[in-house]
């Protein structure tokens, strides 16, 4: 049974992302596009487009064009948008890296993506420089300047011609973010211009309250698809103002909402905990914040209600996945009747099915099934990984999300479980296979498996089940310290249990559902 949006299909223009966002900014050239929330410095749409042109010209002069991949490793600032859209304007592909990544993580992504160049900032150089060196990337730009590296102003100060590249929206890869998807390790997600353009246009009917008056707080990172598309690109598409913050710190977050009167604030669920409970929230005038929008992990409905009551704002929720560019479901602005414990309705131009993972049979209203989606926002595939692509998108084009959902008679969808391996810590992806590989390098660990469990605050955290080597007396703290010394902070193991043997199938695959059952018991 195929479920569809309550909204009629929308027309998806056959244009590049640049054409969609900046094709005609005549009416807004003098209006502010982006504000640096830290310094208050702003750039207008006219300045933004001019800088994007200079960036594209500089890249073309360096030999970057169609088919080339360029990395961005930077916290959110207005210049992120300049670099990102400059890369796309040059016809190249942007691969966005998690700012928390270790040098090895950086090297791995740059290498896997085949990146030719990297943009970063001085504070991230300690990981960026060795990562780029290991991947053989020698052209590194440090946006705010560092000795021995070109800076953004130096790059933009050029009079090269803007390259005229012809983008084929349905074929050309605009971005290559990395995601574990439903299987093992992070893979490059090939999103075409059409994928990104489609998802922005598909969200139009959902976001009926937004427009040029909208002021978005962008603290969720632009390297992740949620920040990239829902905050940065959608903010620019609607002609709004995007206020950037480089990291989440509650006082700064609250100050910027109050000072810059941001009416749309996008968060992941852990921020809702702070907004519901922290006493300093009362010290700020947050009355401008009309809508708080949560996504990337399950939102607790009681928590959401507590925030709504305390701050008097609407709390809303969306659901998506990197591989879907990313939005597939959201609560429409105009539907105050929909519970924030749900992810709302299906977006236009998208078909959905719910399929029983055990039998492969479609299920109907009120029954649990794995969510499958098909539409113009579904990725082209994983880079250089036909096997993983085939395991995720079937022959008929259905993307299997690995999430379990229920749809009610009114077409409202709730996400109720996850059947894939992926762990989400504060909305960040944590691939268990990566942690298992690290654990197995410890001489006192014979075997290990990692799953997501709920901590005392209801937060999902990675937990390791560990089999000690004979005679080893290693304890949980030592295991956690060992992992923490080698992985990015969001990937730390936060609970450990010692066990006699890891449950495995006859084929040697870890039986995660047995570990989950053990955890529940
Ligand atoms: N409830 C339960 C949710 C939810 C969720 C995501 O890192 P990725 O690939 O991508 C994201 C995308 C987040 C996002 C997209 C569109 C949108 O409107 C919005 O909110 C405003 C957020 O995180 O991880 C994808 C996986 O994250 C889980 C789910 O398991 C999914 O497959 N996930 N959103 N609301 N779980």
């Amino acid at each position: 049974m195929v479920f569809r949006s309550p909204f009629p299909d929308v027309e998806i223009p056959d244009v590049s992302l640049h054409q969609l966002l900046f094709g005609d900014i005549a009416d807004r050239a003098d209006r502010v596009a982006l504000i640096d929330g830290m310094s208050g410095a702003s750039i207008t749409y006219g300045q933004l487009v001019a800088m994007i042109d200079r960036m594209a010209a500089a890249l073309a002069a360096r030999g970057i064009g169609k088919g080339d991949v360029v990395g961005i490793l930077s916290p959110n600032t207005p210049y992120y948008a300049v670099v990102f859209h400059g890369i796309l304007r040059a016809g190249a592909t942007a691969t966005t890296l998690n700012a928390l990544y270790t040098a090895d993580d950086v090297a791995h992504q740059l290498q896997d993506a085949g990146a030719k160049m990297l943009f970063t900032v001085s504070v991230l150089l300690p990981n960026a420089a060795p990562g780029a060196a290991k991947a053989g990337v020698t052209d590194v730009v440090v946006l705010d300047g560092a000795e021995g590296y070109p800076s953004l102003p130096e790059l933009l100060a050029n009079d090269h011609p803007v390259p005229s590249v012809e983008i084929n929206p349905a074929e050309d890869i605009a971005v290559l973010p990395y995601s574990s998807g439903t299987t093992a390790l992070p893979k490059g997600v090939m999103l075409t211009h059409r994928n990104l353009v489609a998802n922005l246009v598909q969200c139009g009917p959902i976001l009926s309250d937004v427009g040029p008056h909208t002021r978005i707080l962008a603290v969720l990172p632009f390297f992740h698809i949620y920040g990239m598309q829902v905050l940065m690109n959608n903010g620019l598409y609607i002609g709004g103002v995007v206020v950037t913050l480089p990291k989440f710190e509650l006082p700064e977050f609250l100050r910027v909402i109050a000072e810059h009167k941001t009416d749309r604030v996008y968060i992941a669920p852990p921020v809702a905990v702070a907004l519901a409970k922290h006493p300093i929230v009362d010290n700020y005038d947050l009355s401008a914040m009309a809508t708080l929008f949560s996504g990337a992990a399950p939102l607790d409905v009681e928590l959401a209600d507590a925030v709504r009551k305390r701050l008097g704002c609407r709390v809303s929720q969306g659901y998506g996945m990197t591989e879907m560019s990313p939005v597939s479901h959201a609560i429409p602005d105009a539907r105050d009747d929909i519970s924030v414990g749900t992810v709302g309705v299906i977006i236009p131009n998208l078909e959905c099915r719910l399929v029983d993972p055990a039998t492969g049979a479609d299920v109907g209203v009120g029954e649990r099934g794995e969510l499958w989606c098909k539409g113009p926002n579904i990725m082209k595939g994983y880079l250089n990984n036909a096997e993983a692509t085939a395991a995720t998108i079937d022959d008929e084009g259905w993307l299997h999300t690995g999430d379990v959902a229920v749809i009610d008679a009114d077409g409202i969808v709730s996400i109720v479980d996850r059947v894939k391996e992926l762990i989400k810590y504060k909305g960040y992806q944590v691939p268990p296979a990566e942690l298992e590989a690290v654990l197995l390098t410890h001489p006192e660990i014979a075997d290990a498996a990692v799953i997501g469990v709920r901590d005392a605050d209801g937060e999902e955290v990675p937990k390791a089940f560990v089999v000690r080597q004979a005679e080893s007396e290693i304890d949980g703290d030592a295991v956690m310290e060992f992992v923490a010394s080698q992985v990015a902070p969001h990937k730390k193991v936060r609970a450990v249990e010692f066990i006699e043997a890891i449950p495995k199938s006859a084929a040697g695959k870890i039986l995660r559902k047995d570990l989950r059952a053990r955890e529940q018991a």
Side-chain angles (χ1 to χ4, degrees):
M1 190 196 267
V2 174
F3 300 100
R4 288 173 211 277
S5 178
F7 297 103
D9 278 0
V10 291
E11 196 186 316
I12 296 159
D14 189 31
V15 296
S16 69
L17 186 64
H18 188 275
Q19 284 170 296
L20 184 81
L21 267 48
F22 310 117
D24 180 11
I25 58 142
D27 60 332
R28 53 182 147 123
D30 294 331
R31 288 215 323 269
V32 170
L34 293 136
I35 300 177
D36 183 330
M38 298 299 285
S39 68
S42 64
I43 53 180
T44 64
Y45 276 91
Q47 290 167 331
L48 174 64
V49 169
M51 282 192 275
I52 290 169
D53 279 353
R54 282 304 92 220
M55 173 59 72
L59 290 172
R62 286 168 118 83
I64 300 286
K66 259 185 119 155
D68 293 326
V69 177
V70 178
I72 313 175
L73 176 71
S74 168
N76 289 3
T77 71
Y79 297 112
Y80 200 108
V82 172
V83 175
F84 180 96
H85 287 289
I87 294 168
L88 271 59
R89 177 106 169 97
T93 301
T95 191
T96 55
L97 293 92
N98 187 329
L100 299 173
Y101 268 180
T102 63
D104 278 348
D105 292 333
V106 171
H108 174 262
Q109 183 169 331
L110 291 178
Q111 213 153 25
D112 191 76
K116 282 199 172 157
M117 200 180 163
L118 176 67
F119 283 86
T120 190
V121 294
S122 56
V123 289
L124 297 180
L125 259 184
N127 288 337
K134 193 170 171 189
V137 174
T138 50
D139 195 359
V140 178
V141 177
V142 178
L143 298 176
D144 54 335
E147 211 185 316
Y149 296 93
S151 68
L152 182 71
E154 282 165 29
L155 226 69
L156 295 183
N158 71 75
D159 49 17
H160 301 301
V162 179
S164 74
V165 279
E166 196 160 316
I167 302 285
N168 178 348
E171 286 303 320
D172 294 347
I173 311 301
V175 294
L176 195 58
Y178 272 62
S179 165
S180 295
T182 56
T183 58
L185 300 171
K187 297 168 284 292
V189 179
M190 297 190 287
L191 298 178
T192 62
H193 283 264
R194 180 173 171 80
N195 289 149
L196 301 183
V197 165
N199 205 234
L200 294 173
V201 177
Q202 285 171 291
C203 287
I206 303 271
L207 304 174
S208 55
D209 282 359
V210 305
H213 60 275
T214 299
R215 300 173 69 85
I216 291 173
L217 177 57
V219 66
L220 296 182
F222 292 153
F223 70 76
H224 183 246
I225 195 74
Y226 179 9
M228 181 195 300
Q229 275 279 84
V230 182
L231 282 61
M232 177 173 72
N233 290 340
N234 195 61
L236 299 173
Y237 172 52
I238 61 177
V241 178
V242 180
V243 185
T244 64
L245 266 181
K247 63 178 175 208
F248 179 77
E249 274 168 3
L250 188 60
E252 275 302 281
F253 175 81
L254 298 170
R255 178 188 66 77
V256 168
I257 297 172
E259 222 165 86
H260 291 280
K261 305 219 176 317
T262 52
D263 59 330
R264 240 180 213 252
V265 177
Y266 289 94
I267 60 162
V271 176
V273 179
L275 290 176
K277 299 191 177 156
H278 205 291
I280 69 159
V281 172
D282 292 332
N283 302 348
Y284 297 83
D285 174 8
L286 305 180
S287 57
M289 181 169 73
T291 305
L292 184 71
F293 217 103
S294 175
L299 176 66
D300 182 75
V301 68
E302 275 152 34
L303 176 67
D305 278 338
V307 174
R308 186 173 52 78
K309 287 201 187 104
R310 184 176 190 188
L311 302 178
C313 63
R314 164 171 52 192
V315 183
S316 199
Q317 190 177 183
Y319 159 88
M321 184 173 166
T322 309
E323 290 80 351
M324 300 198 285
S325 310
V327 187
S328 64
H329 296 72
I331 300 180
D333 288 347
R335 292 288 302 272
D336 283 336
D337 58 306
I338 297 180
S339 163
V340 68
T342 75
V343 296
V345 303
I346 303 168
I347 62 169
N349 307 54
L350 189 74
E351 295 177 293
C352 294
R353 284 165 63 192
L354 294 172
V355 178
D356 182 337
T359 64
D362 281 62
V363 302
V365 166
E367 294 176 277
R368 296 162 74 102
E370 185 188 1
L371 175 66
W372 293 10
C373 301
K374 185 171 163 176
N377 53 313
I378 304 298
M379 68 166 176
K380 191 171 178 180
Y382 292 115
L383 179 70
N384 300 328
N385 200 333
E387 198 186 329
T389 304
T392 306
I393 304 180
D394 66 25
D395 293 345
E396 290 170 20
W398 293 97
L399 174 118
H400 302 196
T401 65
D403 293 304
V404 180
V406 175
I407 188 163
D408 74 10
D410 298 323
I412 296 165
V413 176
S414 302
I415 305 295
V416 293
D417 199 3
R418 207 186 281 146
V419 285
K420 57 186 166 189
E421 289 182 8
L422 181 68
I423 300 168
K424 280 265 165 128
Y425 176 70
K426 300 196 173 191
Y428 285 112
Q429 292 201 4
V430 181
E434 207 172 304
L435 297 177
E436 286 154 6
V438 171
L439 287 162
L440 289 176
T441 63
H442 194 290
E444 292 186 55
I445 294 178
D447 204 358
V450 177
I451 62 166
V453 300
R454 299 268 154 204
D455 72 2
D457 296 329
E459 185 91 58
E460 186 176 13
V461 297
K463 170 171 177 173
F465 290 85
V466 171
V467 182
R468 291 190 185 99
Q469 292 284 15
E471 315 213 331
S472 162
E473 287 178 12
I474 188 170
D475 63 12
D477 287 341
V479 170
M480 286 193 275
E481 276 163 31
F482 175 73
V483 176
S485 70
Q486 299 185 52
V487 301
H490 63 287
K491 294 188 205 157
K492 284 182 196 170
V493 165
R494 289 166 201 270
V496 175
E497 182 176 333
F498 294 96
I499 183 172
E500 289 299 310
I502 302 294
K504 290 197 179 149
S505 69
K509 220 174 153 237
I510 296 170
L511 292 173
R512 290 174 205 281
K513 64 175 173 18
D514 290 7
L515 290 170
R516 283 192 204 110
R518 179 189 168 100
E519 187 63 26
Q520 305 254 301

